[in-house]
C-alpha cells in the first residue's frame, strides 16, 4: 500500500476527502467519514457512519465487509486508523445515504449505469464516447486512430500468447516488458 495521501476535494464542493492509492489493486481507498461529512448535514459524521453501518448490516448489505481500516492523517496531524472503501464501495455508500446533498451523485451514478448498459447493446456507443473523450483532451484524429489500432493490436497479441499457454498475469507482464 502506497502511503501517498491524495484528495478529491473538487468532486465534493471543496470538502477534503482523504484517500490512499493502493498500487497493488490500482484503486483508491477513501475515508468514509469524509464522504459522509461532505454529503450530509451531520454534526458528528463519525456517529452518522456508525448508525448507517448498523442499519446497512441489519438490511443485509455486504458493504461493511469491504471496509478496510487504514491509517490516515487527521486534522491534528496524527495518523489514526480510519474506515475506508474503494471506489465501488464509495459508490454503494453514496447510494445508501438518505440526504438531499447525496442526490446529485445518485442521479449521476444512475446516468452512468444507463449509459454503460446502452453500450452493452451497442458497443459503437462506447467507441464514440472514447473518441469524444480523446478529442476533448485535445488529441488529434491521427493520434486517436493510432491509439485505437494499438488497443486492437494488443488484444490480438495477448490472444496469441493465450493460445501459446500464457495465462498468468506475471507471464503477460514479463512478455510485455520484453517488448
Amino acid at each position: 500500500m502506497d502511503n501517498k495521501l491524495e484528495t478529491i476535494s473538487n468532486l465534493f464542493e471543496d470538502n477534503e476527502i482523504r484517500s490512499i492509492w493502493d498500487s497493488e489493486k490500482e484503486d483508491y481507498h477513501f475515508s468514509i467519514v469524509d464522504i459522509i461529512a461532505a454529503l450530509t448535514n451531520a454534526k458528528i459524521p463519525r456517529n452518522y457512519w456508525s448508525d448507517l453501518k448498523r442499519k446497512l448490516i441489519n438490511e443485509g448489505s455486504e458493504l461493511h465487509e469491504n471496509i478496510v481500516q487504514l491509517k490516515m492523517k487527521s486534522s491534528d496531524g496524527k495518523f489514526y486508523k480510519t474506515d475506508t472503501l474503494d471506489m465501488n464501495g464509495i459508490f454503494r455508500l453514496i447510494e445508501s445515504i438518505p440526504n438531499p446533498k447525496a442526490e446529485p451523485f445518485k442521479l449521476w451514478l444512475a446516468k452512468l449505469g444507463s449509459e454503460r448498459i446502452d453500450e452493452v447493446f451497442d458497443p459503437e456507443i462506447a467507441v464514440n464516447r472514447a473518441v469524444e473523450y480523446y478529442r476533448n483532451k485535445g488529441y488529434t484524429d491521427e493520434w486517436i486512430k493510432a491509439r485505437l489500432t494499438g488497443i486492437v493490436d494488443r488484444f490480438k497479441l495477448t490472444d496469441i500468447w493465450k493460445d501459446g499457454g500464457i495465462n498468468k498475469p506475471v507471464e503477460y507482464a514479463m512478455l510485455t516488458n520484453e517488448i
Side-chain angles (χ1 to χ4, degrees), residues 44-93:
I44 306 173
R46 186 178 325 273
N47 291 351
Y48 188 103
W49 168 231
S50 179
D51 293 342
L52 181 60
K53 185 172 20 175
R54 192 172 18 265
K55 177 185 170 209
L56 291 173
I57 290 169
N58 290 338
E59 291 176 355
S61 171
E62 296 177 4
L63 183 63
H64 69 282
E65 294 175 10
N66 299 321
I67 295 168
V68 177
Q69 284 205 329
L70 299 172
K71 285 193 172 188
M72 293 187 148
K73 192 173 189 178
S74 176
S75 58
D76 66 4
K78 296 179 183 174
F79 285 82
Y80 299 99
K81 282 191 174 183
T82 305
D83 283 353
T84 67
L85 286 167
D86 64 10
M87 190 71 72
N88 288 337
I90 288 300
F91 288 152
R92 292 192 59 212
L93 173 70

Side-chain angles (χ1 to χ4, degrees), residues 114-134 144 148 151:
S114 176
E115 289 171 357
R116 295 312 166 266
I117 290 170
D118 290 345
E119 291 172 1
V120 168
F121 293 108
D122 185 359
E124 186 177 338
I125 295 171
V127 174
N128 291 340
R129 183 173 53 85
V131 169
E132 276 306 305
Y133 175 80
Y134 285 132
I144 296 168
L148 296 176
I151 292 169

